[in-house]
Amino acid sequence: MKPPIDSLWRASSAERVDAPPLSGDVDVDLAVIGGGFTGCSAALEAARRGASVALLEAQEPGQGGSGCNVGLVNAGLWLKPDEIAATLGPQTGRALIDRLGQAPDRVFDIIAREGIACEATRNGTLHCAHSAKGMEDLQDRFRQGNAAGAPLQLLDASEARERTGSSAVHGALFDPRAGTVQPLAYCHGLARAAITAGARLHGQSPVTALRQTANGWELACRGHTVRAGALLLATNAYHEAIPGLAAPAFTAVHYGQFATAPMPDTLRDRILPGGEGCWDTALVMSSFRTDAAGRLVIGGMGNLSGPGGGIHTAWARRKLHQLFPQAADLPFEHGWSGRIAMTSDHVPKILLLGDSGLACFGYSGRGIGPGTVFGAAAAEALLSGDRSGLPLSVTQSHGETLPRLREGWYELGATMIHAASARI
């Protein structure tokens, strides 16, 4: 079965952005490489602070993981609070937990301020237990989250099934801080707002060389030169090799999604009537949500363009039947996948580049909130020279053990599990 490769988000985005290729030399305060959530958030923040900005994107803004995202605006990281504290230390860990706990506020405030048409729905998210064992995990997350100040609510099986419309869930953890967006429209809206604020955004403008100078940085792009006082690398899982710059280290994990035709009204009233975004506790995680038109969007790990694409497509059909048998006959109208930059400890990284550069990456599946926060904070730090406002301390280097081997292992594992699970 050949999967469709056609993004719902690209087909339905109400936001558009004009980012023409770089056509001449330019001098700016800040150069940004990468046009996803992090890069566009940084460009917007810098421009609003009165700085001159040039954002260079190898393809088009939102073309990478930001435009392939599930669209869940989560508070915090995938890790439990105690794990974050164990990795970073109690003080640094708690500061990051608090900062990212406020990330949805930041996202939805920007959406309201800039009038971004991205189907923003702030009705919370549901982390759903896929089994009794999964419910035990949610109970632990509930305890740790509330101890860290999060207003989480633990729902039993009956409550979770009423909220989702699925009898396949065994309970859920509700986070009222969170919500959903149309992710590509949100990214395009950030880009549009940055341009309106005075930033220059250039698509189809890959950086082909880079060097640090006495006054900052020089970037070669399309036969032209960009001179910048500071540099932000925001390519995340879509980094392309640039001579003169070491590539960020991460493991790329693919995540695929399928969108049905719009549900009839009789189903829309019964399946996720509150519009919460959901994901589950399974080892190979899956997600489900609706969009503004009432489509069901089912997601799971896997590369739809790779050898296992047909297996992932068949799994999605079975998963839809398992979760929502009443909607099992709805056709899939869209299917697409993107890459996630995963770090071994599941904590994002901020690398120091030379004297006046930073690289932010490794959100491990939590791109919207952290990307928005990290991008704006990086722009502020680079322009002011004060790094105290960054969500994390900068590090000189970061390495990953056998990332390409791990990438293949993740894809193989997802393919094998999808081939064997959720049988009708």
Side-chain angles (χ1 to χ4, degrees):
M1 185 187 301
K2 181 73 172 176
I5 305 297
D6 171 35
S7 169
L8 165 64
W9 307 138
R10 192 160 298 282
S12 66
S13 177
E15 288 279 354
R16 297 289 186 269
V17 60
D18 183 20
L22 183 70
S23 59
D25 295 351
V26 62
D27 291 83
V28 291
D29 298 317
L30 175 66
V32 179
I33 304 175
F37 299 132
T38 304
C40 291
S41 175
L44 174 58
E45 180 68 18
R48 282 175 56 83
R49 289 174 173 271
S52 55
V53 190
L55 184 151
L56 305 173
E57 163 59 45
Q59 298 186 51
E60 298 296 335
Q63 187 79 16
S66 296
C68 299
N69 197 281
V70 176
L72 305 187
V73 186
N74 285 303
L77 297 175
W78 177 78
L79 292 174
K80 298 176 184 178
D82 287 0
E83 294 170 328
I84 296 174
T87 299
L88 298 176
Q91 184 174 355
T92 302
R94 181 55 190 263
L96 181 62
I97 290 167
D98 290 346
R99 187 77 171 270
L100 294 185
Q102 299 169 10
D105 287 339
R106 177 106 191 191
V107 171
F108 288 106
D109 285 349
I110 291 173
I111 290 169
R113 185 190 73 207
E114 304 296 344
I116 299 176
C118 62
E119 303 180 14
T121 303
R122 197 171 189 184
N123 287 345
T125 54
L126 293 165
H127 190 178
C128 297
H130 77 294
S131 65
K133 184 70 173 177
M135 193 60 184
E136 293 177 10
D137 178 65
L138 293 186
Q139 290 168 343
D140 193 36
R141 289 180 180 274
F142 172 70
R143 177 187 60 79
Q144 292 187 31
N146 280 5
L152 305 178
Q153 301 171 30
L154 190 64
L155 310 182
D156 63 19
S158 176
E159 293 173 297
R161 289 166 182 171
E162 182 177 352
R163 294 280 281 269
T164 61
S166 174
S167 61
V169 300
H170 294 251
L173 191 61
F174 174 63
D175 190 340
R177 300 170 296 177
T180 63
V181 295
Q182 208 276 30
L184 180 60
Y186 172 59
C187 188
H188 280 175
L190 286 175
R192 171 185 56 77
I195 293 169
T196 300
R200 306 170 57 114
L201 270 68
H202 299 287
Q204 301 301 319
S205 300
V207 175
T208 53
L210 178 151
R211 72 184 185 94
Q212 190 167 19
T213 69
N215 298 316
W217 299 86
E218 284 189 359
L219 295 74
C221 176
R222 295 179 57 86
H224 306 294
T225 300
V226 175
R227 289 172 288 271
L231 171 71
L232 174 63
L233 181 67
T235 51
N236 206 30
Y238 286 77
H239 184 79
E240 297 183 3
I242 302 174
L245 182 67
F250 57 84
T251 297
V253 177
H254 289 85
Y255 197 86
Q257 296 182 79
F258 297 85
T260 70
M263 293 183 286
D265 290 342
T266 53
L267 290 184
R268 291 189 71 173
D269 292 339
R270 294 158 51 199
I271 295 176
L272 292 170
E276 301 95 339
C278 307
W279 75 103
D280 66 23
T281 55
L283 177 63
V284 177
M285 186 200 79
S286 58
S287 60
F288 52 99
R289 59 162 295 188
T290 57
D291 76 341
R295 300 177 182 89
L296 270 167
V297 184
I298 305 291
M301 288 177 59
N303 182 6
L304 304 192
S305 299
I311 291 173
H312 300 312
T313 303
W315 164 84
R317 174 55 58 187
R318 297 193 302 270
K319 189 67 176 179
L320 176 62
H321 185 278
Q322 180 194 56
L323 287 170
F324 305 109
Q326 65 272 44
D329 293 331
L330 287 174
F332 286 137
E333 293 186 340
H334 302 272
W336 68 100
S337 57
R339 295 198 299 273
I340 295 167
M342 189 81 72
T343 60
S344 56
D345 60 7
H346 305 298
V347 174
K349 308 300 173 192
I350 304 178
L351 294 187
L352 184 63
L353 305 177
D355 299 323
S356 56
L358 295 173
C360 300
F361 64 96
Y363 305 120
S364 297
R366 290 290 179 95
I368 297 178
T372 301
V373 169
F374 274 61
E380 179 183 358
L382 288 167
L383 293 171
S384 68
D386 180 4
R387 299 179 194 146
S388 63
L390 289 171
L392 286 171
S393 298
V394 299
T395 182
Q396 297 286 341
S397 64
H398 172 71
E400 293 282 330
T401 302
L402 301 174
R404 301 290 79 81
L405 180 62
R406 294 177 64 199
E407 178 180 341
W409 178 252
Y410 280 126
E411 177 64 23
L412 176 62
T415 302
M416 293 177 66
I417 289 176
H418 283 173
S421 66
R423 296 288 182 183
I424 295 174

